[in-house]
Amino acid sequence: MLKIVAACGNGMGSSLMVKLKIESVCQEMGIDAHIDHMSIGDAKNVYRNYDIIICSQALLHNFSQLENIKVIGLRNLLSTEEIKEKFIENDIK
């Protein structure tokens, strides 16, 4: 099972919306995943517990120093199509 975290500035609104979109994509693609949502700061503190971090492309720089984790940036946080594309590009199954 993949462990994915959706991260945003405060860990409230947009990360929750992204979490719901990721859940939808995972269900559609048959990906077994546990998805959480939280703030950028929290994600940086617990990233070792996850396989993938998903955030806005504008926030990618916050994760540049992390090792051994895949970080995916989205242009449009609410686009299930973009999430699917990123999963395919990154061979997430």
Side-chain angles (χ1 to χ4, degrees):
M1 173 185 297
L2 281 176
K3 293 181 80 181
I4 302 171
V5 63
C8 72
N10 292 322
M12 303 288 238
S14 50
S15 64
L16 176 58
M17 291 186 291
V18 174
K19 175 190 175 195
L20 297 173
K21 296 292 183 179
I22 295 167
E23 286 175 342
S24 173
V25 168
C26 286
Q27 185 176 33
E28 182 179 327
M29 295 178 73
I31 298 170
D32 186 23
H34 173 82
I35 302 123
D36 290 320
H37 70 98
M38 62 188 68
S39 70
I40 294 290
D42 288 343
K44 287 170 71 172
N45 288 329
V46 300
Y47 79 94
R48 289 176 187 87
N49 299 326
Y50 293 90
D51 302 302
I52 303 166
I53 296 173
I54 299 178
C55 65
S56 165
Q57 208 163 16
L59 298 175
L60 281 175
H61 68 278
N62 290 284
F63 300 107
S64 62
Q65 302 299 317
L66 303 184
E67 297 178 1
N68 300 320
I69 185 146
K70 187 173 296 225
V71 182
I72 296 173
L74 300 174
R75 289 180 314 278
N76 180 349
L77 295 176
L78 300 179
S79 171
T80 54
E81 287 304 314
E82 183 178 359
I83 294 169
K84 284 186 225 176
E85 289 171 13
K86 296 289 184 170
F87 278 21
I88 291 167
E89 285 173 17
N90 288 279
D91 198 29
I92 297 169
K93 303 175 192 179

